[in-house]
């Protein structure tokens, strides 16, 4: 569905994250895996672990911000990001 989804506080545990939102903030300090994910305005991903993508999936967003000290492995050719930003943590 639409709307904003804000899960940016410590203590979250995600396995696989997929969905559609206007904006999303996702934090899991242990790392997580992304499936197809669309955030029309902004997507903030925060982790100190590995954040990667399931095979053949895509991220589509207006703005992508990566935070934490994690290893962000978001290299699939299907991703579409209008603006990307430097980590802010």
């Amino acid at each position: 569905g639409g709307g904003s989804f804000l899960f940016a506080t410590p203590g979250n545990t995600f396995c696989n994250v997929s969905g559609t939102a206007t904006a999303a903030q996702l934090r899991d300090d242990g790392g997580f895996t992304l499936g197809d994910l669309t955030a029309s305005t902004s997507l903030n991903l925060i982790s100190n672990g590995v954040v990667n993508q399931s095979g053949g999936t895509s991220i589509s967003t207006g703005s992508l911000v990566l935070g934490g000290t994690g290893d962000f492995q978001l290299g699939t050719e299907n991703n579409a990001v209008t603006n990307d930003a430097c980590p802010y943590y």
Side-chain angles (χ1 to χ4, degrees), residues 61-87:
T61 187
S63 176
L64 176 64
V65 177
L66 306 177
T69 59
D71 182 8
F72 294 88
Q73 302 172 8
L74 309 175
T76 72
E77 62 190 36
N78 301 326
N79 293 335
V81 178
T82 305
N83 298 304
D84 61 340
C86 295

Side-chain angles (χ1 to χ4, degrees), residues 14-65:
F14 304 120
C15 292
N16 296 306
V17 180
S18 297
T20 302
T22 303
Q25 292 182 345
L26 303 171
R27 179 176 181 170
D28 180 342
D29 290 335
F32 53 98
T33 298
L34 298 173
D36 287 322
L37 188 58
T38 299
S40 58
T41 59
S42 64
L43 176 61
N44 294 1
L45 304 175
I46 306 162
S47 186
N48 296 329
V50 175
V51 177
N52 57 24
Q53 290 180 265
S54 301
T57 62
S58 66
I59 295 172
S60 178
T61 187
S63 176
L64 176 64
V65 177

